[in-house]
Amino acid sequence: MDDRQDGHRHATLVTNGDRRRVMCRWLAYSGEPIFMDTLVVRPSHSLIDQSMYARQNYLPHSPMAHAKHPGAVTTNGDGFGLGWYGEREVPGVYRDVRPAWNDANLHRIAEQVRSGLFLAHIRAAMGGTVTRTNCHPFQHDRWLWQYNGEIDEFEHVVRDLRFEIAPELYPSIKGNNDTETCFFLALTYGLAEDPVRAIERTIARVERAQRDRGVDGVFRCTGATTDGEVIYAWRYATDDTAKTLYYNAGPEALRTCAGDRIPIPEKAVIVVSEPLELHYGPHWIEVPPSTVVTIRRGGEVETVPLRVSGRG
């Protein structure tokens, strides 16, 4: 028995062959400071709503993207996390294993904390135990890191990947999942100096480990990392099964379930696994596969291709 709380409904009941189709959901925000509940709680398809039913938590452009699959429960109830930047040098982090819809503290914190750059994540555990140390976002110094993804047969490659992590960073690893392993690989590969290149090198190293161990599978992920100034978000898959990723730039108001408008600051940018509205328009821009989106203060958005060497 793990440390899941009463009322927790497991997020990932799947049949063989469909295991890859359900994963986590997340968002990242950069702009004028807002209360975190503006995005985490209030929109019609907020992360709280997505923790109960993620509408695009299957492969994109598949009929499964908009219909519940009989072999899977599309909840994300294996924990959640918030990471935000305020007046201190390192970010604040709050994580727990309760489902996001069932944690009053999450709602109260999101209502009271105002930040100009924050990440939020809800987890569906595809690997690693359901513990607080495996909940996203992960933090090291000023850096935060979260993703929605999986490494096929991670158990066969984790030893190779962890041996690659710098010795001085290795003691900081607390959990046993693939996301934290990739975070410390990226830190090893120079995340602080060249974030895009570090992400590319991390992806390439994972795929090489899979090839070396004879794993006939893929690495797919959409993720976000930040140092509190710039957000780097990416969408990638070894094959054509990249998970969904969108961003919303500018003051286009979001809607609540009651139809009320939620104002967004003029130069804000929101990056999400899926739009925060049940019915959304063209202001949510889909990120192409194999792409990195860089979001700087002031609403500047740049997209560049991910260049992963050594594929094939």
Side-chain angles (χ1 to χ4, degrees):
M1 180 67 67
D2 57 35
D3 58 355
R4 279 174 276 177
Q5 304 292 322
D6 291 340
H8 186 162
R9 184 154 57 99
H10 197 283
T12 54
L13 300 178
V14 293
T15 58
N16 291 336
D18 287 317
R19 181 179 181 273
R20 66 184 184 173
R21 291 182 175 175
V22 287
M23 290 184 248
C24 311
R25 305 279 82 182
W26 59 263
L27 67 80
Y29 171 82
S30 176
E32 291 298 316
I34 61 173
F35 290 109
M36 291 192 291
D37 73 322
T38 304
L39 304 183
V40 175
V41 179
R42 295 178 59 200
S44 62
H45 193 43
S46 68
L47 279 195
I48 301 299
D49 186 64
Q50 291 178 37
S51 70
M52 292 182 280
Y53 183 23
R55 293 170 179 259
Q56 296 186 25
N57 217 9
Y58 293 96
L59 302 183
H61 313 305
S62 158
M64 295 302 171
H66 302 287
K68 184 176 178 180
H69 188 272
V73 178
T74 57
T75 58
N76 294 272
D78 291 324
F80 65 83
L82 299 171
W84 67 92
Y85 294 85
E87 298 181 12
R88 295 187 180 275
E89 184 66 22
V90 297
V93 177
Y94 174 55
R95 305 184 295 175
D96 209 338
V97 296
R98 295 178 67 90
W101 72 78
N102 196 33
D103 190 283
N105 289 332
L106 168 63
H107 291 248
R108 300 296 84 81
I109 289 172
E111 289 171 357
Q112 296 296 327
V113 175
R114 189 197 301 264
S115 175
L117 197 155
F118 61 88
L119 308 185
H121 187 280
I122 51 177
R123 185 173 183 235
M126 300 302 298
T129 52
V130 182
T131 61
R132 189 176 290 110
T133 53
N134 279 332
C135 291
H136 311 210
F138 297 92
Q139 177 259 329
H140 184 76
D141 292 336
R142 280 193 57 80
W143 285 90
L144 292 174
W145 174 286
Q146 64 185 12
Y147 82 28
N148 158 35
E150 68 172 320
I151 300 169
D152 279 348
E153 299 189 40
F154 176 65
E155 64 275 14
H156 296 298
V157 301
V158 59
R159 181 175 180 272
D160 292 353
L161 297 178
R162 290 206 165 186
F163 274 8
E164 186 87 359
I165 292 169
E168 65 272 18
L169 293 172
Y170 196 91
S172 297
I173 299 174
K174 305 301 181 185
N176 61 0
N177 67 6
D178 57 337
T179 308
E180 189 179 25
T181 299
C182 287
F183 180 29
F184 281 90
L185 272 177
L187 289 166
T188 298
Y189 293 150
L191 183 65
E193 291 76 34
D194 188 343
V196 173
R197 181 59 185 144
I199 293 165
E200 292 171 338
R201 290 186 64 189
T202 298
I203 293 170
R205 183 64 185 91
V206 170
E207 292 183 334
R208 178 160 64 87
Q210 289 177 313
R211 291 193 301 269
D212 290 347
R213 295 297 169 184
V215 173
D216 183 17
V218 304
F219 178 28
R220 61 175 66 83
C221 61
T222 65
T225 188
T226 180
D227 61 354
E229 295 297 327
V230 182
I231 296 173
Y232 302 90
W234 65 94
R235 182 184 181 195
Y236 181 81
T238 306
D239 57 13
D240 61 354
T241 61
K243 304 291 285 187
T244 53
L245 187 66
Y246 300 82
Y247 69 90
N248 178 23
E252 184 74 30
L254 305 183
R255 298 282 182 170
T256 69
C257 286
D260 299 326
R261 291 169 58 87
I262 304 173
I264 301 300
E266 181 72 29
K267 295 182 179 181
V269 181
I270 310 164
V271 190
V272 293
S273 297
E274 59 185 82
L276 300 178
E277 299 168 283
L278 293 172
H279 306 286
Y280 59 90
H283 55 281
W284 289 104
I285 301 166
E286 184 172 3
V287 176
S290 298
T291 299
V292 177
V293 183
T294 303
I295 300 104
R296 294 183 171 85
R297 300 280 190 173
E300 180 185 346
V301 178
E302 178 186 12
T303 59
V304 297
L306 264 175
R307 305 187 185 280
V308 179
S309 61
R311 294 187 60 181

